[in-house]
Amino acid sequence: MKVLFTSLGCAKNLIDSEQMIALVTAAGHTLVSDPAEAEAAVVNTCAFIDAAQQEAIDTILELAQYKESGALRRLVVTGCLPERYRGDILAELPEIDAVLGTGSFPAIVDALESDERHYARFLDKNAPLPELDRAVSTGPAWAYLKVADGCDNRCAYCVIPSIRGRYRSRPLDAVVAEAKALAGAGVKELILVAQNLTHYGRDFHDGTNLCTLLRALAAVDGVRWIRLHYLYPHEITDELIDLIAAEPKICRYLDMPIQHINDGILRRMRRPETKAQICALIEKLRARIDGVVLRTSLITGLPGEGEAELAELMDFLRTYRLERAGVFAYSPQEGTPAAAMTDRCSPEEAEARRERVMALQNAVMDEYDRAQIGLAFDVLCEGEDGGQWYGRRYADSPDIDEQVYFTGGAEPGAFVRVQITAAENGCLYGHTV
């Protein structure tokens, strides 16, 4: 069977897709990229916010058209959308032939090969993570490495615990074994992902923590960079800070979502940090980790946010000048405590506030970029376009941060030293040295 895969949403979703692809190809099926050629299509979905749900629905309906115009005869939808709407999705989208919840990815071959109309499997989303082979689709020379799934934080605006289940760490030996396999295949940068990376190992109750894992991964031959995504501020310890500062393989790039800075909004969000604690942590990180780059995510338009709270957030960004930030307009999610709060602005106003905050943050990031001119960095080359090569520094994560364009040449997947000579439109430019 010729099978098309479409993976939407986060890096954790992409890893789930890579595991399903490995299962499907091991069963003798063939991957295709042209939907007109596909006999079956798999859409691995995100359902975190309204925009992600709409993207998933649009993708499903677009592919369903190939049942009439192409070879498609089976449409399988997996992941967060069917998990969130398991009682309604097949009735609302009859074009779908099979659904798998977030705990059911290992059943992908059965879902494809079954003759059952409206096949549905929703296994335990709180079960230990399956240890499966992957068909890595990223690179060159970098890959995501999922170390845990689920979340126990229960933030007031978030549906992830209800979709992905409770927090489950992967066993240390399994993560290290996968890292060694990736390094053996030429991967030089491991991007560690979990909903809350800083909570890793605490569910084992045996003293294992993120530092234990990082020391083990740093010992893997061939790994040059270890990048950390989603470090929750209240769980960043002095031990972790000292390890990041001392271990050269750990990128001094910390993705630390804070979501807001006003204490009243943070309480409503059920976030455990206060403004004073967040500011003190940022100052500590910058004092103890030389060259640290901080990335965060922020939400505008949350219930209770008015002009004063928004102004406080913008003043925080002017003062602390975070090197990287993504800003999202609040999207009420059914079933969450925040969705029941009525004192919120309109979606249009939330978006307008997002644009105001992003304009300020873009100016901060442009200033940071200009400060890089004249400096030299190791760059992981990712490719070449029209005689110009491009790649990333330690300060840049794929797909969400800027790239470095340079002359002088390099092999994709190789590290090269680049001196920065210009900064324009959110990108850096330079030449090899």
Side-chain angles (χ1 to χ4, degrees), residues 90-106:
L90 289 173
E92 294 293 328
L93 293 168
E95 298 86 352
I96 299 172
D97 299 295
V99 291
L100 297 176
T102 54
S104 307
F105 295 118

mmCIF file of all heavy atoms in Angstrom, residues 90-106:
data_model
loop_
_atom_site.group_PDB
_atom_site.id
_atom_site.type_symbol
_atom_site.label_atom_id
_atom_site.label_comp_id
_atom_site.label_asym_id
_atom_site.label_seq_id
_atom_site.Cartn_x
_atom_site.Cartn_y
_atom_site.Cartn_z
ATOM 1 N N LEU A 90 -15.727 10.949 14.458
ATOM 2 C CA LEU A 90 -16.158 10.158 13.305
ATOM 3 C C LEU A 90 -17.525 10.593 12.808
ATOM 4 O O LEU A 90 -17.804 10.539 11.601
ATOM 5 C CB LEU A 90 -16.160 8.675 13.671
ATOM 6 C CG LEU A 90 -14.768 8.049 13.838
ATOM 7 C CD1 LEU A 90 -14.873 6.624 14.363
ATOM 8 C CD2 LEU A 90 -13.989 8.068 12.533
ATOM 9 N N ALA A 91 -18.376 11.059 13.706
ATOM 10 C CA ALA A 91 -19.683 11.562 13.285
ATOM 11 C C ALA A 91 -19.563 12.922 12.612
ATOM 12 O O ALA A 91 -20.250 13.200 11.613
ATOM 13 C CB ALA A 91 -20.625 11.649 14.487
ATOM 14 N N GLU A 92 -18.685 13.762 13.131
ATOM 15 C CA GLU A 92 -18.529 15.109 12.578
ATOM 16 C C GLU A 92 -17.734 15.107 11.277
ATOM 17 O O GLU A 92 -17.931 15.976 10.418
ATOM 18 C CB GLU A 92 -17.835 16.012 13.601
ATOM 19 C CG GLU A 92 -18.650 16.277 14.858
ATOM 20 C CD GLU A 92 -19.891 17.100 14.581
ATOM 21 O OE1 GLU A 92 -19.859 17.943 13.668
ATOM 22 O OE2 GLU A 92 -20.901 16.881 15.274
ATOM 23 N N LEU A 93 -16.827 14.155 11.136
ATOM 24 C CA LEU A 93 -15.994 14.065 9.925
ATOM 25 C C LEU A 93 -16.114 12.654 9.355
ATOM 26 O O LEU A 93 -15.211 11.819 9.496
ATOM 27 C CB LEU A 93 -14.534 14.399 10.255
ATOM 28 C CG LEU A 93 -14.242 15.843 10.662
ATOM 29 C CD1 LEU A 93 -12.851 15.974 11.243
ATOM 30 C CD2 LEU A 93 -14.406 16.782 9.470
ATOM 31 N N PRO A 94 -17.229 12.343 8.692
ATOM 32 C CA PRO A 94 -17.442 10.981 8.184
ATOM 33 C C PRO A 94 -16.469 10.584 7.082
ATOM 34 O O PRO A 94 -16.400 9.402 6.719
ATOM 35 C CB PRO A 94 -18.881 11.033 7.665
ATOM 36 C CG PRO A 94 -19.150 12.480 7.405
ATOM 37 C CD PRO A 94 -18.368 13.229 8.436
ATOM 38 N N GLU A 95 -15.710 11.549 6.576
ATOM 39 C CA GLU A 95 -14.694 11.228 5.570
ATOM 40 C C GLU A 95 -13.581 10.352 6.138
ATOM 41 O O GLU A 95 -12.860 9.674 5.400
ATOM 42 C CB GLU A 95 -14.082 12.516 5.016
ATOM 43 C CG GLU A 95 -15.059 13.428 4.295
ATOM 44 C CD GLU A 95 -15.789 14.378 5.228
ATOM 45 O OE1 GLU A 95 -15.652 14.245 6.482
ATOM 46 O OE2 GLU A 95 -16.496 15.257 4.723
ATOM 47 N N ILE A 96 -13.429 10.368 7.471
ATOM 48 C CA ILE A 96 -12.370 9.605 8.138
ATOM 49 C C ILE A 96 -12.766 8.136 8.224
ATOM 50 O O ILE A 96 -13.902 7.790 8.562
ATOM 51 C CB ILE A 96 -12.118 10.168 9.555
ATOM 52 C CG1 ILE A 96 -11.668 11.632 9.480
ATOM 53 C CG2 ILE A 96 -11.078 9.329 10.291
ATOM 54 C CD1 ILE A 96 -11.598 12.315 10.832
ATOM 55 N N ASP A 97 -11.804 7.266 7.951
ATOM 56 C CA ASP A 97 -12.035 5.822 8.032
ATOM 57 C C ASP A 97 -11.557 5.215 9.342
ATOM 58 O O ASP A 97 -12.081 4.187 9.782
ATOM 59 C CB ASP A 97 -11.323 5.122 6.868
ATOM 60 C CG ASP A 97 -11.849 5.594 5.525
ATOM 61 O OD1 ASP A 97 -13.022 5.339 5.230
ATOM 62 O OD2 ASP A 97 -11.069 6.235 4.785
ATOM 63 N N ALA A 98 -10.547 5.814 9.964
ATOM 64 C CA ALA A 98 -9.997 5.238 11.190
ATOM 65 C C ALA A 98 -9.396 6.337 12.045
ATOM 66 O O ALA A 98 -8.862 7.323 11.521
ATOM 67 C CB ALA A 98 -8.935 4.190 10.856
ATOM 68 N N VAL A 99 -9.484 6.154 13.360
ATOM 69 C CA VAL A 99 -8.879 7.110 14.296
ATOM 70 C C VAL A 99 -8.082 6.353 15.343
ATOM 71 O O VAL A 99 -8.458 5.251 15.770
ATOM 72 C CB VAL A 99 -9.929 8.009 14.986
ATOM 73 C CG1 VAL A 99 -10.560 8.975 13.994
ATOM 74 C CG2 VAL A 99 -10.999 7.180 15.686
ATOM 75 N N LEU A 100 -6.981 6.972 15.761
ATOM 76 C CA LEU A 100 -6.151 6.449 16.849
ATOM 77 C C LEU A 100 -5.909 7.576 17.844
ATOM 78 O O LEU A 100 -5.532 8.686 17.450
ATOM 79 C CB LEU A 100 -4.800 5.947 16.329
ATOM 80 C CG LEU A 100 -4.790 4.772 15.352
ATOM 81 C CD1 LEU A 100 -3.367 4.501 14.885
ATOM 82 C CD2 LEU A 100 -5.389 3.539 15.993
ATOM 83 N N GLY A 101 -6.096 7.293 19.137
ATOM 84 C CA GLY A 101 -5.803 8.284 20.162
ATOM 85 C C GLY A 101 -4.320 8.397 20.437
ATOM 86 O O GLY A 101 -3.489 7.700 19.850
ATOM 87 N N THR A 102 -3.971 9.267 21.373
ATOM 88 C CA THR A 102 -2.554 9.540 21.641
ATOM 89 C C THR A 102 -1.840 8.355 22.287
ATOM 90 O O THR A 102 -0.608 8.322 22.286
ATOM 91 C CB THR A 102 -2.403 10.772 22.543
ATOM 92 O OG1 THR A 102 -3.185 10.585 23.735
ATOM 93 C CG2 THR A 102 -2.883 12.027 21.830
ATOM 94 N N GLY A 103 -2.582 7.397 22.832
ATOM 95 C CA GLY A 103 -1.946 6.217 23.394
ATOM 96 C C GLY A 103 -1.981 5.012 22.479
ATOM 97 O O GLY A 103 -1.648 3.896 22.910
ATOM 98 N N SER A 104 -2.343 5.230 21.216
ATOM 99 C CA SER A 104 -2.633 4.102 20.326
ATOM 100 C C SER A 104 -1.788 4.053 19.063
ATOM 101 O O SER A 104 -2.115 3.309 18.134
ATOM 102 C CB SER A 104 -4.118 4.145 19.941
ATOM 103 O OG SER A 104 -4.931 4.209 21.078
ATOM 104 N N PHE A 105 -0.711 4.819 19.008
ATOM 105 C CA PHE A 105 0.105 4.860 17.786
ATOM 106 C C PHE A 105 0.622 3.493 17.339
ATOM 107 O O PHE A 105 0.711 3.231 16.138
ATOM 108 C CB PHE A 105 1.286 5.821 17.959
ATOM 109 C CG PHE A 105 0.868 7.249 18.136
ATOM 110 C CD1 PHE A 105 1.177 7.936 19.300
ATOM 111 C CD2 PHE A 105 0.177 7.913 17.144
ATOM 112 C CE1 PHE A 105 0.792 9.252 19.479
ATOM 113 C CE2 PHE A 105 -0.212 9.226 17.310
ATOM 114 C CZ PHE A 105 0.088 9.905 18.475
ATOM 115 N N PRO A 106 0.956 2.571 18.272
ATOM 116 C CA PRO A 106 1.454 1.264 17.805
ATOM 117 C C PRO A 106 0.447 0.472 16.969
ATOM 118 O O PRO A 106 0.836 -0.489 16.303
ATOM 119 C CB PRO A 106 1.783 0.535 19.119
ATOM 120 C CG PRO A 106 2.089 1.637 20.089
ATOM 121 C CD PRO A 106 1.132 2.731 19.734
#
